[in-house]
Structures are given as structure tokens and as C-alpha cells.
């Protein structure tokens, strides 16, 4: 018999992935339990399976029951700017004008650590309210804003990746670093935060337009000096952006080749958007095993274009793709809603994209892209117990829509409800978010709200 000292159980409907539904039949990739049991010990998954069978092994287990709720692994946001929270939904511009008019003035306020702390708390509360438990996060050029973010994430025991924006040209003076200060500051931040508890660091040149070649050389050097760290940046989002980029780098034949030239295209590199990539660029990203963050609400909001998900998946190997909200160009913190918009973007191109494929990208797919699938992404025994409880009856309309599925409780019926959830979904559907097996901590719990 197993001692129940630090054990806790969760009972209800469970859905997760053990394979890639872009490569195989959904039924082969999915695990669904209509009445499942998740056993957590010291923050990690100790056991997972059918309640009827598993419960016998844990006769004294304390159980939290969610009888009509769907538990899924914590959602992963592969591209989001925490300082842009307060300027979400700013009217009327495309990328370059939007950056100058709204983004840069907002980011300039983050040189004050007190402001950054308030915003980091607000941002993390929003992530957790929406069921997002891991994110790849851009901060600002100010190291204080990076410290504020990591400190807030660490207080909540979150698995988060972030980095200081490197930007030494083509932005307002107060937002510029230099090639050498950006290197030094990033270096110090890596020493302080990379691999500290559940945190990791991403070298973050904003995009080619705002970095000199000297700065990109040093970004590449950081990647070489610290093989475990990530690279995050923007790529091929907007036609005017691409034109200006190639004017600034006249010897390069395409956008990706600039990042390649500086050693920034590797398997821990995450490129946001990639909307206007050529076939050659797609092929090179596939060969480098880099990741694209598909950010549909942002791409629609800024009028940037439609990401060719089907092209990225048709290559051999397929390009790792995850979903990004890209707040504040994106318009929702909800990964459910982001899946819904990804559906519309693919549908407009005559391609299929199921709710299950969307949920895969937001869980195991995102974890694989970040090479964190040994720790998060599904309910595999030994992984960290970050998960989300979805209320399939959160609104009268959703309740009506999912009634039959909750009677049937089959994978097909729940998958259909999940799709409806992505169309109708937002934070109201997230009943609870668990971090390492415990209810997520919000700013008010930490005395900072
Ligand atoms: N390209 C460079 N910076 C940004 C940013 O802040 N948001 C988006 N969407 N694209 C960018
Ligand atoms: Zn972005």
C-alpha cells in the first residue's frame, strides 16, 4: 500500500496528447478519460489513469473532484510581450507605425522597476486566469524589467522563459542600448536567472531592424557561450518590415539569412510570425529545427497576413509550431481563443485545423518546441503537475452546446465541445489553474495585488 502523506488526487475528465495529431490519427495521439484520476506528489505527477482502476492503489487518497470539468495540461504561450499588456487593442496601425505610436512609448515606462513590478504581477495574473502556465516572454530593453518579471514568476513557482530586449538602433533614444551594454546586461541576467528554479533565459534581439550587425554578433556569441538558453525574435511579419529589413542589410537575399549569418537560427530559436516566408526560408527553418510561434490574433489585428501552417507541417521534418498570443498586438490572453482564430486563419486558406490539433500545439507541441517535454506538456508520470480545469458549462450558451457531450463523455463528443470552447472561449471557461499540483498564486495571494 502506498503512503498518502504528500499525495493528492484529482478526479474528473482528462484530455492530453502522447503523439502529434499533424502526423497521425487523432485517436492514436490522444488520451481521454471520462472518469480519470491524476495523483500528484510533491508537485509532480505520480500516477494517471482510469479512476476505477487506479483508486484501489490509493485507498486513503484525498481527492478534489471536478465531475463535469475537463482537465488539460497547462497551456503554453510561445510568444507574448508582458510590457504591452496596458496597450492591448490600440487602434488603426500596421506593424511599424504601431510600434512607433503605441509600443515604444509604453515600453519606455519600464525603466522604473516599480512600474515593471506592478505590470509583471498584472500580466502573470492574466496568464493564470486564462490557464497559461508557461510562456516565452519578451520584456523591454531595461534589465530592471527582466528582474521584475522573473521575480514575479518565481514567487508563483512558474516555469517561464524570458529575456531582455536588445535594441541599439531605429527606436527612440531612451529605449536604446548599445551592442556592448546589451551583451553585458544579457550576460548578467543569464547568470542570475537561467536555470534558476523553473526559470530560463532567452536572448532577445527585438528584430533585425532594431539591431546593428555588431549587436547580432554578440547575440550569437551569447548563444554559443550558454548552449541551454533560447533565442526569441520576430521574423517576416509585415511587408513594409521586410522591405526595410532588406534595405538595412543590403547584402542579404532574404530575412532569415540575416539571422543565419549571426548564428541565431538553431533548435532553441523561436521566431514569431513567419507570415511572408519563401519556400527556401521554410526549408531552412525545417533543417535547423527552429520553431515558429503562430500568433493569429496579432496577425489579424495588425493586418499582417495569414500564416501558412499547412506549409510548415508539410515539410520533412515539419517545422515545430506553437501558439502565441503576442499581447499587445494580439488581442486576447486566451490560448483557447487563439486556437479559434488559428482555425479561421487556416480555414481562410482552405486548410483543416481541428480543435485537438490546436490543443496539441498549445500543450505537448509547445513543450516539444521548447525542448521541455520531459517536464511539461502532458500528464505523463514524473512531469510537473501544471494543469487547467475547464468548465464546459461556464456560460448558458456553452452549457447548451456541451450538454450532450457531457452525457456521452466520449472522445469524439468532448473534442467537438473543445472546438466550440475555442470559438466561444475565454477566461470564463478556466475554473482553476494548478501549478505543481497547487492552486495558482495570484497577486492578491502574494500581497502584491
Ligand atoms: N516586431 C518587432 N517588435 C514587435 C512587437 O513588439 N510586436 C510585434 N507584433 N512585432 C514586432
Ligand atoms: Zn511580438
Amino acid at each position: 500500500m502506498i503512503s498518502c502523506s504528500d499525495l493528492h488526487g484529482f478526479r474528473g475528465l482528462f484530455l492530453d496528447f502522447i503523439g502529434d495529431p499533424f502526423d497521425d490519427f487523432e485517436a492514436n495521439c490522444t488520451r481521454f478519460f471520462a472518469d480519470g484520476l491524476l495523483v500528484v506528489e510533491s508537485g509532480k505527477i505520480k500516477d494517471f489513469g482510469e479512476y476505477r482502476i487506479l483508486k484501489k492503489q490509493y485507498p486513503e487518497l484525498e481527492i478534489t473532484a471536478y465531475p463535469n470539468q475537463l482537465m488539460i495540461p497547462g497551456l503554453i504561450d510561445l510568444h507574448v510581450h508582458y510590457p504591452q499588456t496596458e496597450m492591448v487593442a490600440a487602434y488603426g496601425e500596421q506593424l511599424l507605425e504601431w510600434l512607433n505610436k503605441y509600443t515604444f512609448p509604453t515600453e519606455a515606462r519600464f525603466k522604473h522597476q516599480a512600474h515593471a513590478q506592478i505590470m509583471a504581477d498584472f500580466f502573470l495574473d492574466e496568464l493564470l486566469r486564462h490557464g497559461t502556465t508557461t510562456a516565452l516572454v519578451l520584456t523591454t530593453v531595461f534589465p530592471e524589467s527582466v528582474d521584475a518579471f522573473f521575480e514575479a514568476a518565481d514567487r508563483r513557482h512558474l516555469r517561464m522563459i524570458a529575456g531582455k530586449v536588445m535594441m541599439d538602433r531605429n527606436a527612440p533614444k531612451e529605449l536604446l542600448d548599445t551592442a556592448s551594454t546589451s551583451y553585458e546586461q544579457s550576460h548578467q541576467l543569464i547568470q542570475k536567472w537561467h536555470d534558476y528554479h523553473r526559470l530560463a533565459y532567452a536572448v532577445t534581439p527585438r528584430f533585425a531592424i532594431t539591431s546593428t550587425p555588431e549587436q547580432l554578433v554578440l547575440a550569437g556569441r551569447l548563444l554559443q557561450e550558454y548552449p541551454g538558453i533560447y533565442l526569441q525574435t520576430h521574423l517576416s511579419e509585415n511587408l513594409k518590415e521586410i522591405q526595410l529589413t532588406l534595405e538595412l542589410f543590403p547584402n542579404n537575399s532574404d530575412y532569415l539569412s540575416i539571422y543565419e549569418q549571426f548564428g541565431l537560427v538553431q533548435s532553441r530559436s523561436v521566431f514569431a510570425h513567419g507570415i511572408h516566408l519563401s519556400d527556401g526560408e521554410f526549408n531552412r527553418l525545417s533543417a535547423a529545427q527552429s520553431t515558429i510561434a503562430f500568433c493569429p490574433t496579432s496577425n489579424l489585428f495588425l493586418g499582417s497576413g495569414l500564416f501558412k501552417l499547412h506549409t510548415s507541417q508539410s515539410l520533412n521534418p515539419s517545422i515545430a509550431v506553437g501558439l502565441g498570443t503576442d499581447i499587445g498586438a494580439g488581442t486576447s490572453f486566451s490560448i483557447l481563443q487563439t486556437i479559434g482564430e488559428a482555425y479561421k486563419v487556416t480555414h481562410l486558406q482552405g486548410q483543416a485545423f481541428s480543435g485537438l490539433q490546436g490543443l496539441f500545439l498549445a500543450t505537448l507541441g509547445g513543450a516539444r518546441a521548447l525542448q521541455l517535454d520531459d517536464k511539461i506538456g502532458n500528464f505523463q508520470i514524473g512531469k510537473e503537475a501544471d494543469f487547467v480545469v475547464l468548465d464546459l458549462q461556464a456560460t448558458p450558451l456553452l452549457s447548451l452546446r456541451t450538454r450532450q457531450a457531457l452525457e456521452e463523455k466520449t472522445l469524439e463528443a468532448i473534442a467537438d465541445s473543445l472546438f466550440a470552447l475555442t470559438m466561444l472561449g475565454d477566461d470564463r471557461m478556466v475554473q482553476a489553474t494548478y501549478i505543481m499540483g497547487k492552486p495558482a498564486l495570484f497577486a492578491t495571494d502574494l500581497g502584491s495585488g
Side-chain angles (χ1 to χ4, degrees):
M1 196 160 304
I2 296 162
S3 146
C4 289
S5 53
D6 185 31
L7 293 179
H8 193 87
F10 297 88
R11 180 181 184 185
L13 292 87
F14 287 88
L15 176 64
D16 76 346
F17 293 88
I18 48 172
D20 182 344
F22 289 92
D23 288 347
D24 196 355
F25 295 113
E26 289 184 340
N28 294 345
C29 305
T30 316
R31 280 192 297 195
F32 173 68
F33 293 110
D35 184 12
L37 180 65
L38 178 76
V39 183
V40 176
E41 184 178 45
S42 306
K44 298 220 171 133
I45 295 167
K46 165 96 179 161
D47 232 330
F48 179 55
E50 220 172 294
Y51 176 84
R52 193 174 50 82
I53 297 168
L54 211 52
K55 176 66 175 72
K56 295 188 191 114
Q57 293 178 41
Y58 302 91
E60 287 167 31
L61 187 67
E62 229 179 77
I63 291 177
T64 303
Y66 289 110
N68 273 326
Q69 283 85 340
L70 179 65
M71 281 171 269
I72 58 170
L75 299 168
I76 300 174
D77 187 338
L78 228 60
H79 184 79
V80 59
H81 300 247
Y82 100 82
Q84 296 177 14
T85 305
E86 57 182 318
M87 49 148 291
V88 64
Y91 173 76
E93 305 293 352
Q94 290 216 349
L95 176 62
L96 298 181
E97 297 77 15
W98 174 86
L99 283 171
N100 284 320
K101 186 165 169 183
Y102 301 113
T103 314
F104 291 151
T106 306
E107 293 191 6
R109 299 221 278 272
F110 283 71
K111 73 164 170 279
H112 305 293
Q113 183 142 2
H115 179 71
Q117 280 164 347
I118 291 167
M119 287 301 150
D121 272 327
F122 188 96
F123 171 83
L124 288 174
D125 277 8
E126 282 301 295
L127 287 193
L128 293 169
R129 284 190 336 96
H130 288 83
T132 299
T133 53
T134 288
L136 180 54
V137 179
L138 289 95
T139 63
T140 70
V141 75
F142 305 110
E144 295 82 357
S145 72
V146 188
D147 283 332
F149 176 78
F150 277 132
E151 279 160 16
D154 192 46
R155 277 202 299 277
R156 292 164 173 78
H157 314 297
L158 300 178
R159 183 164 283 292
M160 288 283 158
I161 309 168
K164 174 200 128 68
V165 169
M166 303 168 79
M167 177 155 72
D168 67 347
R169 64 169 167 175
N170 293 322
K173 200 160 54 46
E174 65 272 21
L175 276 173
L176 295 181
D177 51 20
T178 66
S180 62
T181 59
S182 72
Y183 173 81
E184 283 306 324
Q185 290 168 349
S186 301
H187 191 75
Q188 280 171 15
L189 289 162
I190 292 165
Q191 299 274 353
K192 187 165 175 188
W193 294 112
H194 183 65
D195 244 348
Y196 178 72
H197 296 164
R198 302 183 78 201
L199 308 174
Y201 196 85
V203 173
T204 311
R206 180 173 214 117
F207 60 165
I209 290 175
T210 47
S211 285
T212 58
E214 294 71 36
Q215 185 166 61
L216 295 177
V217 166
L218 293 175
R221 185 180 298 171
L222 287 166
L223 293 186
Q224 279 189 342
E225 287 170 347
Y226 298 96
I229 61 178
Y230 297 86
L231 179 287
Q232 60 176 343
T233 189
H234 299 89
L235 171 67
S236 204
E237 175 178 6
N238 168 287
L239 293 174
K240 267 168 77 176
E241 171 212 12
I242 297 167
Q243 192 187 349
L244 177 57
T245 303
L246 293 177
E247 280 166 25
L248 290 166
F249 292 89
N251 297 327
N252 289 79
S253 55
D254 61 32
Y255 200 153
L256 185 65
S257 72
I258 300 167
Y259 295 142
E260 286 171 331
Q261 180 186 334
F262 298 103
L264 305 182
V265 183
Q266 38 116 336
S267 67
R268 285 173 180 269
S269 301
V270 179
F271 297 98
H273 311 301
I275 293 173
H276 305 286
L277 294 172
S278 64
D279 288 346
E281 289 174 300
F282 264 122
N283 283 326
R284 277 144 49 209
L285 283 170
S286 150
Q289 299 183 319
S290 297
T291 294
I292 297 178
F294 176 17
C295 307
T297 73
S298 164
N299 300 159
L300 296 171
F301 181 72
L302 289 182
S304 305
L306 307 178
F307 175 62
K308 299 186 193 87
L309 179 65
H310 50 286
T311 305
S312 71
Q313 296 311 295
S314 68
L315 303 174
N316 189 12
S318 60
I319 297 178
V321 171
L323 294 171
T325 59
D326 195 25
I327 291 286
T331 50
S332 171
F333 273 94
S334 171
I335 290 289
L336 291 174
Q337 214 171 93
T338 305
I339 295 171
E341 296 305 290
Y343 168 79
K344 294 175 195 169
V345 166
T346 49
H347 206 41
L348 267 171
Q349 301 172 83
Q351 302 293 326
F353 181 67
S354 70
L356 286 176
Q357 286 176 321
L359 188 63
F360 168 78
L361 293 185
T363 56
L364 186 60
R368 284 180 176 174
L370 295 172
Q371 301 182 17
L372 287 175
D373 51 312
D374 57 331
K375 298 187 173 67
I376 55 171
N378 63 13
F379 293 118
Q380 208 74 10
I381 292 169
K383 289 198 188 183
E384 297 161 351
D386 289 354
F387 62 96
V388 184
V389 183
L390 295 177
D391 181 2
L392 300 177
Q393 299 167 304
T395 69
L397 178 60
L398 192 62
S399 205
L400 179 77
R401 178 67 175 77
T402 61
R403 191 174 53 200
Q404 196 166 343
L406 282 174
E407 277 163 25
E408 288 176 25
K409 292 189 177 168
T410 60
L411 172 62
E412 293 70 27
I414 293 297
D416 172 65
S417 291
L418 174 73
F419 180 72
L421 211 71
T422 70
M423 288 298 138
L424 307 170
D426 53 36
D427 48 320
R428 290 170 299 174
M429 284 69 186
V430 177
Q431 179 160 336
T433 302
Y434 284 86
I435 300 296
M436 301 290 280
K438 296 273 186 323
L441 296 170
F442 290 85
T444 47
D445 303 313
L446 296 161
S448 48

